[in-house]
Amino acid sequence: MKTLDSKELFYAFSADAKPLMTVAQGESFALETRDCFSNQLCSDEDTVDTLDWNDINPATGPVEIQGVRTGDIVRFDIEKLEMTGKSVMITLPGSGALGGISQTTTRVLDNEDGVLTLPTEKGVLKLPLKPMIGVIGVSPAEGSIPTGTPDTHGGNMDCTKIGQGASLFLKAAVDGAMFGCGDVHALMGDGEVLVCGAETPARVTVSARAIAARELPTPFLETEDQYIAIASAETVDKATEDATENMFRFLTDIAGLSEGDAGRLMTLVGNVMICQIVDPQKTARFEFPKAVLAELGFAGIE
Amino acid sequence: MKTLDSKELFYAFSADAKPLMTVAQGESFALETRDCFSNQLCSDEDTVDTLDWNDINPATGPVEIQGVRTGDIVRFDIEKLEMTGKSVMITLPGSGALGGISQTTTRVLDNEDGVLTLPTEKGVLKLPLKPMIGVIGVSPAEGSIPTGTPDTHGGNMDCTKIGQGASLFLKAAVDGAMFGCGDVHALMGDGEVLVCGAETPARVTVSARAIAARELPTPFLETEDQYIAIASAETVDKATEDATENMFRFLTDIAGLSEGDAGRLMTLVGNVMICQIVDPQKTARFEFPKAVLAELGFAGIE
């Protein structure tokens, strides 16, 4: 399988990105990723004071998808997501959504046998892993966007549902799409209030192909049981509005519901949810159950 | 059982509220509630154009809890939540989070046998009910707050987790607390993007008592498996920040975790979530799994 190792990385999704690998549509390929600190924190004694801040949030890539043209909607199937090292977490005063954090700390944590082992002052917890990809995206139409920032190209969306088995739909803004990912978390809650989850190096296996549904609002995600519109904006308010609007467009334009049916179903069984509230832009999502659309005869995104 | 019928209602939680019923602490009592349109929409032909807008969002009450003093934290156990009529939904252009709604409609829906029956243009759906209370609160310290507005006194929080079996903790800002509730939904998703769920008259059975934990940040909710801090503010951004801060205070001040353990657990297994994004103030919540705290020896809120 074609593979990029974790030294083949970048720090911004750029319109003029040059591919480090080229793959065919439908061909499985692998990206080995570093954790968001570029694997610099190896023990509890390595604090963020020692970090090289120029080497943060690396993404592995870019990967050119052959035959994809500007304007195409590309479906990225996350075929496999494997942890390849221990997890690390930090606390840093003034960072994230918790004003009560006063100490700078590092914790390196085991993540074997499907659980994260977290020592606390009151006992050791074994927390089930839910691996997910924090940074995943394609080149923007112009300029460059740091890997730490989420936007319509994807990027640092920190969506807990982007895991093994999920399919992420992004719009190619340049020929070949120029895909990359990194910042995998072995476990993270919605919000990412400390600005970190269990940050973990990983190996991500993906395949990609252009699809016919050119009106699909992106970023868009399909999981085993949900359709999910994802949106990032300067405020959480705007991100929730945009995700809601994009789900309405999906339900009316792609799934063929009337405006009234789409609205009633969104307010009854759809959920406005948070991805993260701590990055340079905030990210929200709107989740809608696939089973309801299947009952109404929708065959899926083609 | 002491009961208030649905004609015994109010439209604002007020500092100078006079009780319509007085109950002892721990005594079960019942409130019969109207739907948010005060049961004015009885068929699909009754549109919102015919509504008396002075009779919207009624809450049944107020109920004085004997022996409760200003400053007490009161635990309200939702012992039973029963639908007592059909559900109604509306669409109204310019209202809610969906810019694509162009038609004013009313739908009166059956909600028997545990399912909401929703006819659509592509078939009839049977959606499992998840009854919840939209408006629930106590008197504020001063002035009055319309029942349609959520704030620290509770009010129109539209939190999908406030259902049968849940316990809501609110701070009494006046002697007797002066409790009331209404605006029950047979089914609603997080966000309430149409500004309505399946609006339903109901009968709510409650008991209330002051508890010892005077530092508990409120509104606070306990369900079968979650502790939930709820916060309302002018923006979704501020509401999520306040809910997050309140959960951090709960975990450190009440559950006794260190700041580092609280932060790591909040970012790993806690979730920032949305209640609603359409009311005069927006409401968010922070959910934290009870099982994790039980493993660390926390005996519960006393």
Side-chain angles (χ1 to χ4, degrees):
Chain A
M1 192 186 314
K2 285 186 185 173
T3 300
L4 282 183
D5 84 18
S6 69
K7 288 189 295 292
E8 301 177 282
L9 49 78
F10 61 93
Y11 301 96
F13 290 93
S14 298
D16 60 2
K18 297 288 173 289
L20 299 188
M21 186 164 80
T22 298
V23 299
Q25 295 189 49
E27 175 187 0
S28 297
F29 61 96
L31 301 182
E32 293 178 347
T33 64
R34 297 184 177 181
D35 70 36
C36 74
F37 306 112
S38 214
N39 304 355
Q40 295 181 75
L41 303 175
C42 300
S43 82
D44 290 6
E45 284 67 50
D46 294 339
T47 70
V48 289
D49 298 334
T50 68
L51 275 183
D52 174 359
W53 288 92
N54 292 317
D55 190 10
I56 292 293
N57 275 323
T60 303
V63 178
E64 174 184 33
I65 317 299
Q66 267 177 339
V68 163
R69 294 286 163 255
T70 300
D72 284 349
I73 304 292
V74 185
R75 171 185 182 124
F76 295 93
D77 293 320
I78 317 293
E79 299 180 345
K80 200 177 272 191
L81 177 50
E82 302 157 285
M83 312 290 96
T84 56
K86 295 194 181 209
S87 295
V88 63
M89 301 185 71
I90 65 162
T91 60
L92 181 63
S95 167
L98 297 178
I101 295 293
S102 67
Q103 292 172 359
T104 300
T105 66
T106 300
R107 292 284 182 279
V108 174
L109 304 170
D110 283 328
N111 55 24
E112 290 172 348
D113 302 324
V115 292
L116 185 75
T117 302
L118 182 73
T120 77
E121 292 181 16
K122 292 175 180 287
V124 177
L125 289 167
K126 300 274 187 184
L127 304 170
L129 303 185
K130 293 183 192 163
M132 54 160 279
I133 303 172
V135 171
I136 183 167
V138 294
S139 284
E142 49 190 39
S144 75
I145 302 173
T147 43
T149 301
D151 211 321
T152 51
H153 73 296
N156 194 13
M157 297 182 285
D158 282 320
C159 173
T160 50
K161 298 298 181 76
I162 303 181
Q164 183 169 303
S167 299
L168 178 66
F169 300 82
L170 295 168
K171 186 173 199 160
V174 302
D175 287 350
M178 305 301 167
F179 173 79
C181 70
D183 187 29
V184 166
H185 303 141
L187 179 61
M188 190 195 98
D190 283 342
E192 202 195 23
V193 293
L194 267 190
V195 209
C196 74
E199 308 292 332
T200 312
R203 180 183 165 92
V204 187
T205 308
V206 183
S207 67
R209 61 181 171 84
I211 63 165
R214 296 177 72 89
E215 303 308 309
L216 185 71
T218 54
F220 199 86
L221 190 69
E222 180 176 348
T223 66
E224 189 182 352
D225 54 359
Q226 303 285 326
Y227 292 117
I228 305 176
I230 302 174
S232 302
E234 262 190 56
T235 64
V236 183
D237 290 75
K238 184 68 164 56
T240 60
E241 285 164 24
D242 290 352
T244 300
E245 183 63 30
N246 284 350
M247 180 55 72
F248 184 79
R249 281 177 50 208
F250 167 73
L251 292 175
T252 53
D253 296 352
I254 309 278
L257 299 190
S258 69
E259 63 165 62
D261 287 341
R264 280 183 287 274
L265 285 169
M266 284 178 71
T267 209
L268 287 175
V269 296
N271 292 303
V272 179
M273 301 187 77
I274 297 294
C275 293
Q276 55 76 25
I277 59 169
V278 294
D279 292 333
Q281 295 209 98
K282 318 309 177 199
T283 306
R285 65 184 188 268
F286 195 104
E287 294 199 358
F288 192 91
K290 285 166 73 173
V292 167
L293 284 188
E295 254 191 276
L296 298 180
F298 179 59
I301 302 170
E302 304 290 344
Chain B
M1 192 187 313
K2 286 186 184 173
T3 301
L4 282 182
D5 84 19
S6 70
K7 288 190 297 291
E8 302 177 280
L9 50 78
F10 62 94
Y11 301 96
F13 290 93
S14 297
D16 60 1
K18 298 288 173 289
L20 299 187
M21 186 164 81
T22 297
V23 299
Q25 294 189 50
E27 176 187 359
S28 297
F29 61 96
L31 301 181
E32 293 177 348
T33 64
R34 296 184 177 180
D35 70 38
C36 74
F37 307 111
S38 214
N39 304 354
Q40 294 180 75
L41 304 176
C42 300
S43 81
D44 289 6
E45 284 66 50
D46 294 340
T47 70
V48 290
D49 299 334
T50 68
L51 275 184
D52 174 359
W53 288 92
N54 292 316
D55 190 10
I56 293 293
N57 275 323
T60 303
V63 178
E64 174 184 32
I65 317 299
Q66 266 177 338
V68 163
R69 294 287 163 253
T70 301
D72 285 348
I73 303 292
V74 185
R75 172 184 182 123
F76 295 92
D77 293 320
I78 317 293
E79 299 179 345
K80 202 177 271 191
L81 177 50
E82 302 158 286
M83 313 289 96
T84 57
K86 295 194 181 208
S87 296
V88 64
M89 301 185 71
I90 65 161
T91 60
L92 181 63
S95 167
L98 297 178
I101 295 293
S102 66
Q103 292 173 357
T104 300
T105 66
T106 300
R107 291 286 181 279
V108 175
L109 304 169
D110 283 327
N111 55 25
E112 290 172 349
D113 303 322
V115 293
L116 186 76
T117 302
L118 182 73
T120 78
E121 291 181 16
K122 292 175 180 285
V124 177
L125 290 167
K126 300 273 187 183
L127 305 170
L129 303 185
K130 293 182 191 164
M132 54 158 280
I133 303 171
V135 171
I136 183 166
V138 294
S139 285
E142 49 190 39
S144 76
I145 301 172
T147 41
T149 301
D151 211 322
T152 53
H153 73 296
N156 194 13
M157 297 181 285
D158 281 320
C159 174
T160 49
K161 298 298 180 76
I162 304 180
Q164 182 170 304
S167 298
L168 178 65
F169 300 83
L170 295 168
K171 187 174 199 159
V174 303
D175 289 349
M178 304 301 167
F179 173 80
C181 70
D183 186 30
V184 166
H185 305 141
L187 179 61
M188 189 194 100
D190 284 340
E192 201 194 23
V193 292
L194 267 190
V195 210
C196 74
E199 308 291 333
T200 314
R203 179 183 166 93
V204 187
T205 307
V206 183
S207 68
R209 61 182 170 85
I211 63 164
R214 296 177 72 90
E215 303 308 309
L216 185 72
T218 54
F220 200 86
L221 190 69
E222 181 176 347
T223 66
E224 190 183 351
D225 54 358
Q226 302 285 327
Y227 292 117
I228 306 176
I230 303 173
S232 301
E234 262 190 56
T235 64
V236 183
D237 290 76
K238 185 67 164 59
T240 60
E241 285 164 24
D242 290 352
T244 300
E245 184 63 30
N246 285 350
M247 179 55 72
F248 185 78
R249 281 177 50 208
F250 167 73
L251 292 176
T252 52
D253 296 352
I254 309 278
L257 299 190
S258 68
E259 63 166 62
D261 287 341
R264 281 183 287 273
L265 285 169
M266 286 178 70
T267 208
L268 287 175
V269 296
N271 292 303
V272 179
M273 301 187 77
I274 297 295
C275 292
Q276 55 76 25
I277 59 169
V278 294
D279 292 333
Q281 294 210 99
K282 317 309 176 199
T283 306
R285 65 184 188 270
F286 195 104
E287 294 200 357
F288 192 90
K290 285 166 73 173
V292 167
L293 284 188
E295 255 191 274
L296 299 179
F298 180 60
I301 301 170
E302 304 291 344

